[in-house]
Amino acid sequence: MNNKPWAYVTSAWSADRSKAKRSAKRYCRKLYEAGYTPICPLLSLPEVINVSNADEYKDYLDMSEDMLRRSRILVVCGTGMNETVLTDIAIAKRFHVASSTLRGVLGVEKSKKEE
């Protein structure tokens, strides 16, 4: 059984889809190495949901929110802020999901290993 806590990954993703996916994979890998199960809708949902369809995009948002609600922590990656990141932070706050930056999470994990 996987006992790794879920870490929901958000960022001000690049408009270039391939660049955004590369960044997401890099962030998810770092979280995995830090002992988390990275949850990133950007990497999984667009493979099955047509986000250019309004109804399916609404489903994408609902599913993403459900994943965030079930996660132990929201991890904000990158340096930019946009509406998506701010919305994810607000959702996390509403559902009492802790929030941190990737740097913050990795710093805590590094400190734990040094003890």
Side-chain angles (χ1 to χ4, degrees), residues 1-114:
M1 184 171 153
N2 180 359
N3 290 324
K4 296 178 183 208
W6 282 21
Y8 186 96
V9 179
T10 192
S11 180
W13 304 113
S14 169
D16 177 340
R17 186 168 163 81
S18 62
K19 185 176 180 181
K21 286 179 95 171
R22 280 194 307 273
S23 296
K25 286 178 184 178
R26 190 174 66 250
Y27 299 146
C28 287
R29 181 65 196 182
K30 288 180 180 185
L31 285 164
Y32 169 75
E33 289 171 352
Y36 292 87
T37 297
I39 305 300
C40 186
L42 176 78
L43 292 177
S44 59
L45 294 180
E47 300 300 320
V48 293
I49 293 176
N50 178 3
V51 294
S52 62
N53 173 296
D55 291 334
E56 291 192 26
Y57 182 68
K58 170 82 170 79
D59 288 341
Y60 172 89
L61 294 176
D62 290 345
M63 290 177 195
S64 296
E65 181 177 312
D66 187 49
M67 289 179 197
L68 174 51
R69 211 170 24 86
R70 295 169 185 244
S71 296
R72 174 88 48 88
I73 188 169
L74 167 69
V75 182
V76 178
C77 301
T79 56
M81 278 284 179
N82 66 6
E83 191 65 31
T84 299
V85 174
L86 294 173
T87 299
D88 287 342
I89 291 169
I91 291 168
K93 187 174 184 176
R94 184 171 4 126
F95 291 107
H96 308 289
V97 174
S99 298
S100 184
T101 61
L102 180 61
R103 175 177 274 167
V105 169
L106 297 179
V108 168
E109 292 307 313
K110 184 179 176 187
S111 296
K112 284 182 185 176
K113 290 177 183 174
E114 291 174 356

